[in-house]
Amino acid sequence: MAPLQNFVLLVLLTITLGLVTEAAQKHQAIPSEEEKNELERQLKAINKPAIKSFKTEQGDIFDCIEIHKQLAFDHPLLKNHSVQMKPRTVPEWITSNNIPSKVDSLLLLPDGINCPDGTVIVKRTTMQDLLHAQRLKTMGFNGPRHFLTEKNNTDGTRQYYVATVNYGPKSFTGVKGHLNLWEPQVSQDQISLAFIAVAGGPKERFASIFVGWMVNPSLYHFSQDHVRLYTYWSIERSNLGCYDITCPGFVQVSKNIPLGSFLQPLSVYNGSQYDIDLTLYQDRVKGDWWFAYNHENVGYWPASLFKAARFENRANYAAWGGQVYSPLIEKTPEMGSGHWPSEGLGKAAYVNDIRIIDGMGNFVYPEPYSLKEHETSSKCYRAMYVHEDRDPWVRSLYYGGPAGCIG
């Protein structure tokens, strides 16, 4: 199969549009035999042969795939790409803190799941994943709403709300932050997420990368409310981009940290608090954008994916905070802890240790007034930016709000 044809086949969030939308419109719960055959053909292309496989209590299947045979290399722009096991340049925070090569797997994988050297761990895509991904499209949710979007938060069928602190426009090479872990309650058709994000490029080809945690029953259908680690990348006015590793693009290098994995333990209101340390940074030599979880490199988006958007030459905007999505006919779900930012530590969701990475690879605190709160609607969800004299609260955000907003 020609590379371009294979690429079109594999961009599942796009290719299933014509296939499943018609079935959805006819309220068909089960695809036809012809549709099943097409989905099976897609799955065969997406899921590469596994060296080992594991199934969790949540019903997820994780495969150990040979690193050079992963889905990323089906992308035409990555046909001759050489895997970068580590970036040429690494931010000083990561190199100076003697970060171990392995993270605490209790937050991500059950005991007994261990991939051999030379492989990466990947969450297997199923037919239900394809159908649920298309369900999101028919609902009008193509991915996180861009954090700079100033359009009306409703469009007749759906509604989005964000509560963030934003940075830019100003050139930089990365961001980091600790995302407080909560389990907001959502319905089957709703989404609640927390993220850090970078973006850049011209308006007509604006590129962005999101990483964080998400409660999304339609995407992660095995668990109604469980919190998942996720990534999302996109380029405006194109079909490029997707969640996790559901299309060619993201190159996984970790055999310990699978995208889409279940996160635990979770914070308790007025009790124990938990967070994850996430970093998005650019290799200043190659231009690749790397994702690190608790300072272990998970993988990267090669610079060649973003050349058309000129995003391989640093970022211009960043954001930290939360976002929710809901059909217009439903009241909105909880964001963060489901409580107002004014309630503070232990009760409201936070992002702390907010930093940017400058052009020399140094982690620095943004100037206090370079970070700006952004709320779609303060009567629904709020953002409260704080800057104190003690770590990790030098630059921080409390955000969120309860369910039940009707705009």
Side-chain angles (χ1 to χ4, degrees):
M1 181 178 291
L4 181 59
Q5 291 175 316
N6 200 31
F7 174 60
V8 172
L9 173 66
L10 290 165
V11 184
L12 66 91
L13 294 181
T14 301
I15 54 181
T16 55
L17 180 59
L19 174 67
V20 188
T21 299
E22 183 179 354
Q25 291 173 341
K26 294 179 180 178
H27 306 287
Q28 295 177 356
I30 302 175
S32 68
E33 201 62 37
E34 181 181 356
E35 291 167 342
K36 282 185 179 179
N37 291 337
E38 176 59 21
L39 290 170
E40 291 287 358
R41 192 162 67 91
Q42 294 173 25
L43 290 173
K44 187 176 181 180
I46 293 168
N47 293 318
K48 303 304 181 183
I51 303 299
K52 292 174 67 177
S53 297
F54 307 89
K55 188 171 184 178
T56 69
E57 292 181 359
Q58 288 76 36
D60 296 326
I61 298 176
F62 291 101
D63 293 324
C64 302
I65 307 295
E66 290 184 59
I67 192 168
H68 297 285
K69 295 182 180 180
Q70 59 183 292
L71 178 62
F73 304 119
D74 287 346
H75 196 296
L77 293 175
L78 304 181
K79 183 178 180 182
N80 298 313
H81 182 79
S82 297
V83 177
Q84 306 298 305
M85 293 304 298
K86 59 182 181 180
R88 299 281 185 88
T89 60
V90 182
E92 58 84 21
W93 178 271
I94 292 178
T95 58
S96 67
N97 279 271
N98 298 316
I99 303 303
S101 60
K102 293 184 69 175
V103 298
D104 184 357
S105 60
L106 292 179
L107 285 175
L108 294 163
L109 295 171
D111 290 337
I113 295 183
N114 184 26
C115 285
D117 291 340
T119 68
V120 294
I121 188 163
V122 176
K123 182 175 177 293
R124 185 183 299 180
T125 299
T126 67
M127 184 177 294
Q128 283 298 312
D129 290 330
L130 297 183
L131 292 171
H132 281 277
Q134 183 51 38
R135 188 166 189 270
L136 285 175
K137 269 191 170 293
T138 60
M139 289 160 46
F141 186 84
N142 297 322
R145 195 86 179 264
H146 196 277
F147 52 85
L148 295 178
T149 300
E150 296 298 336
K151 297 177 182 177
N152 192 319
N153 67 300
T154 63
D155 63 3
T157 60
R158 55 194 182 273
Q159 52 190 329
Y160 295 80
Y161 294 89
V162 300
T164 62
V165 63
N166 294 353
Y167 177 83
K170 191 174 183 180
S171 180
F172 60 94
T173 61
V175 297
K176 77 179 296 289
H178 293 193
L179 292 183
N180 194 198
L181 287 174
W182 291 90
E183 189 173 33
Q185 299 302 299
V186 304
S187 74
Q188 176 65 31
D189 294 338
Q190 295 178 329
I191 298 165
S192 187
L193 57 92
F195 65 88
I196 68 173
V198 295
K203 184 177 180 180
E204 66 277 5
R205 298 286 288 176
F206 206 65
S208 57
I209 299 173
F210 290 72
V211 298
W213 59 258
M214 174 185 290
V215 178
N216 183 341
S218 288
L219 186 64
Y220 304 114
H221 58 278
F222 281 115
S223 46
Q224 176 71 14
D225 296 312
H226 288 324
V227 179
R228 302 288 183 135
L229 178 70
Y230 85 97
T231 67
Y232 182 81
W233 68 281
S234 68
I235 299 176
E236 291 289 310
R237 301 181 184 179
S238 77
N239 289 326
L240 300 176
C242 61
Y243 284 103
D244 303 338
I245 308 182
T246 55
C247 70
F250 182 81
V251 180
Q252 177 97 5
V253 299
S254 173
K255 64 174 187 175
N256 305 312
I257 306 172
L259 301 181
S261 56
F262 175 44
L263 293 170
Q264 59 179 342
L266 302 174
S267 299
V268 177
Y269 183 79
N270 209 23
S272 299
Q273 299 298 296
Y274 299 94
D275 60 40
I276 52 176
D277 186 350
L278 305 182
T279 307
L280 278 172
Y281 69 97
Q282 189 171 39
D283 181 336
R284 302 188 311 281
V285 173
K286 299 283 291 183
D288 304 328
W289 279 96
W290 284 79
F291 170 42
Y293 174 95
N294 285 358
H295 302 288
E296 178 175 337
N297 287 321
V298 181
Y300 63 95
W301 294 268
S304 57
L305 296 174
F306 301 108
K307 281 189 176 180
R310 299 200 295 276
F311 189 46
E312 81 280 13
N313 298 318
R314 302 189 181 184
N316 304 108
Y317 297 93
W320 301 256
Q323 182 174 152
V324 298
Y325 162 88
S326 179
L328 199 59
I329 59 174
E330 296 186 51
K331 292 184 178 181
T332 59
E334 296 176 342
M335 180 191 289
S337 69
H339 293 264
W340 298 113
S342 57
E343 294 190 41
L345 183 62
K347 299 178 180 180
Y350 65 78
V351 186
N352 66 18
D353 201 27
I354 291 174
R355 305 193 196 200
I356 60 170
I357 306 172
D358 64 19
M360 300 300 293
N362 301 310
F363 280 92
V364 298
Y365 292 114
E367 291 296 323
Y369 299 103
S370 66
L371 295 171
K372 305 294 183 182
E373 296 171 355
H374 178 65
E375 301 166 336
T376 306
S377 173
S378 60
K379 71 178 183 179
C380 298
Y381 306 99
R382 297 173 189 163
M384 187 175 76
Y385 167 48
V386 296
H387 48 96
E388 302 179 359
D389 295 328
R390 58 190 178 95
D391 289 335
W393 305 98
V394 177
R395 302 287 183 272
S396 304
L397 172 75
Y398 289 105
Y399 72 92
C405 187
I406 55 174

